[in-house]
Amino acid sequence: MFPLKSDLMSKRIFSKVFLISVLAVFTVILTVILHPASFAITNPTVYGQELIAQSGEQPSPSAPFNIPTADTALLFQNDRYAVRVFREGNKAYVNIYDKENKTLTLKKIPVLITPAKNPKKDPIKYIAAVGNQQYIVIISPLGSSELTILKGGSEVYRQGNNQVEVAQKVPGVSDQTEAVNPTLALVRTIFVNYAKLTIFALMFSMAIRWRFEDVLWLGKQPSLMLRSLISVFLAVPLLGALTMLIPGLTVAQHIGMWAMITCPGAPMIPFKSLQAGGNAKFVASLQFMVCILAIISIPLTALILGQFSPNQAWLSPQEIAKQIFFAQVLPMGIGVLLAEYAPKLAEDLVEPVTKIAKFMLLLVVIILLAVTLEKVLNAGFWAYLAMALMSVGSLACGHFLGGSEPDTQTVLAYSTATRNGGLAVLLVSLNFPNLDYVKGGIIDALITYALIAAFVSIPYTIWRKRTIVKTQDDR
């Protein structure tokens, strides 16, 4: 009798601790959203605005912080300077603003452009000469930028890994002269639509196996549900914030990792979890809950990230929610309704729909790997390290919050560590109006993250299968 009371009391205390943790994190999130200045985060947009304003290009009074970027090829800042490369007429110029002295070091100085030999790999270099000084500005397709100042041929200043606000193709400044290929444009459009259809098919094939009692199972497990929410929606972004402190990551890699971290609910999680011996009802209920809550969590996470980024990189919360609804929630809802009200038809459709969806996914993976394999293999040590640490940390977090049962530990570990790469690619493709020059690098980073996460999970999968087999033998 007493052990039962003690166990019940410990469970209640445990639930309260988790609830307090959730409220504490939620309070911090609200504080960041409502009062970002309280964290002493300098808004780089202010410097970009001053840079443009002091160049005689005042923005409209109705939108004082809306930097006009139509003619801007590159806008970034580092600890000391804000740099803008732009086009006026048929010529390219550079402005450099000294943030420390609040003066315009260079104002509308013509630049000599050294174009990239290979636009997908090599950087573009802009050189401005004033007297015996040279100002060299570099931007690469991965979003890494650098400002170097030479005086009399000697280097007096250099800083890379700047905070890029705008990196877009402006005719005559940052693009290569290439003939428009309508066939290639058509192929890209077809592929994007095919990728959307693949996500829809995967979600439908996953949900057509579930009934109402399956997707509502987690509601009867409040402690497990709370721990699952913390693991999937709170622990991963917090781990990501720590991982991003690793030096050496490019702008594209930062954005790619954040996009993956932001998007939970990968459609392959149920298949992986069941193959590793996961609890089938927990799989269904957790995946359903995560996909539904993603309508709220992804826009909220994007809104928080927007407080730290001047890139105007995210769609509005309404637009993000709409994309998630049509990509995830709608096909999943159709599948569950079909399984509940037309079980015979759903049973007949499960096998062929699953095979078609997996084949479609395999084709997408092959195409993406063929296009990006070189970039994935050259992502760099720091990118590999950051992504591997993120994946290992997420697996560990899900495993330990999954409770004492092996079949729930495995499911939550996969759900925490495996992010929805398809949805991340979709959101990235529709985003970043001022960073189109580095979009390709962002997609490369997404694929690299997905591959590393899959590779890291292999030892865990082998271990879990052995553990569950041993547990079943002991019973």
Side-chain angles (χ1 to χ4, degrees), residues 199 259-260 263-267 368 418-427 446 450:
I199 298 174
M260 287 291 280
C263 297
L368 288 175
T418 311
R419 315 307 278 184
N420 195 330
L423 184 58
V425 169
L426 180 60
L427 289 176
L446 291 175

Side-chain angles (χ1 to χ4, degrees), residues 163-190:
Q163 189 167 19
V164 178
E165 300 178 37
V166 178
Q168 61 186 0
K169 295 181 180 179
V170 174
V173 182
S174 58
D175 64 338
Q176 302 283 72
T177 303
E178 297 178 2
V180 178
N181 188 333
T183 303
L184 183 59
L186 178 62
V187 169
R188 286 175 178 170
T189 302
I190 291 173

Side-chain angles (χ1 to χ4, degrees), residues 137-370:
V137 179
I138 295 175
I139 178 71
S140 79
L142 285 179
S144 58
S145 58
E146 182 179 282
L147 172 64
T148 302
I149 302 176
L150 304 178
K151 188 172 184 178
S154 301
E155 183 180 302
V156 295
Y157 179 88
R158 174 180 286 185
Q159 185 167 344
N161 292 324
N162 308 284
Q163 189 167 19
V164 178
E165 300 178 37
V166 178
Q168 61 186 0
K169 295 181 180 179
V170 174
V173 182
S174 58
D175 64 338
Q176 302 283 72
T177 303
E178 297 178 2
V180 178
N181 188 333
T183 303
L184 183 59
L186 178 62
V187 169
R188 286 175 178 170
T189 302
I190 291 173
F191 178 75
V192 170
N193 290 328
Y194 175 78
K196 292 180 182 178
L197 187 60
T198 300
I199 298 174
F200 191 100
L202 284 167
M203 287 302 199
F204 177 73
S205 67
M206 174 181 67
I208 200 173
R209 308 161 183 269
W210 304 336
R211 306 287 287 272
F212 284 169
E213 62 177 304
D214 298 322
V215 298
L216 296 176
W217 179 84
L218 203 50
K220 301 175 182 178
Q221 317 288 331
S223 176
L224 181 59
M225 181 172 67
L226 184 58
R227 285 182 274 122
S228 300
L229 290 173
I230 291 172
S231 184
V232 175
F233 292 109
L234 292 178
V236 175
L238 290 175
L239 285 171
L242 294 174
T243 305
M244 294 302 171
L245 297 176
I246 293 176
L249 297 176
T250 67
V251 172
Q253 288 165 349
H254 270 288
I255 296 174
M257 287 187 66
W258 270 124
M260 287 291 280
I261 289 166
T262 302
C263 297
M268 293 306 295
I269 290 173
F271 302 112
K272 290 174 61 177
S273 300
L274 292 175
Q275 288 175 356
N279 184 312
K281 289 189 179 295
F282 185 33
V283 169
S285 190
L286 179 61
Q287 186 73 0
F288 187 84
M289 180 185 68
V290 166
C291 291
I292 294 294
L293 291 179
I295 294 181
I296 301 171
S297 73
I298 293 178
L300 178 61
T301 307
L303 184 63
I304 295 169
L305 296 180
Q307 305 300 316
F308 300 87
S309 170
N311 297 318
Q312 300 176 359
W314 302 97
L315 293 170
S316 67
Q318 295 85 354
E319 286 295 319
I320 296 176
K322 183 174 75 173
Q323 294 297 330
I324 297 167
F325 175 80
F326 285 107
Q328 289 196 159
V329 178
L330 181 62
M332 191 172 57
I334 294 172
V336 172
L337 289 173
L338 196 62
E340 183 69 25
Y341 295 109
K344 183 63 172 68
L345 176 61
E347 186 178 345
D348 293 338
L349 288 176
V350 165
E351 186 174 351
V353 167
T354 301
K355 287 182 178 179
I356 292 171
K358 286 184 176 181
F359 176 78
M360 292 175 70
L361 176 64
L362 178 63
L363 188 57
V364 169
V365 171
I366 291 173
I367 293 172
L368 288 175
L369 280 177

Side-chain angles (χ1 to χ4, degrees), residues 30 49 135 192 203 233 240 252 343 370-371 422 465 469:
L30 285 180
Q49 190 65 21
Y135 297 81
V192 170
M203 287 302 199
F233 292 109
V371 173
K465 284 182 177 179
V469 169

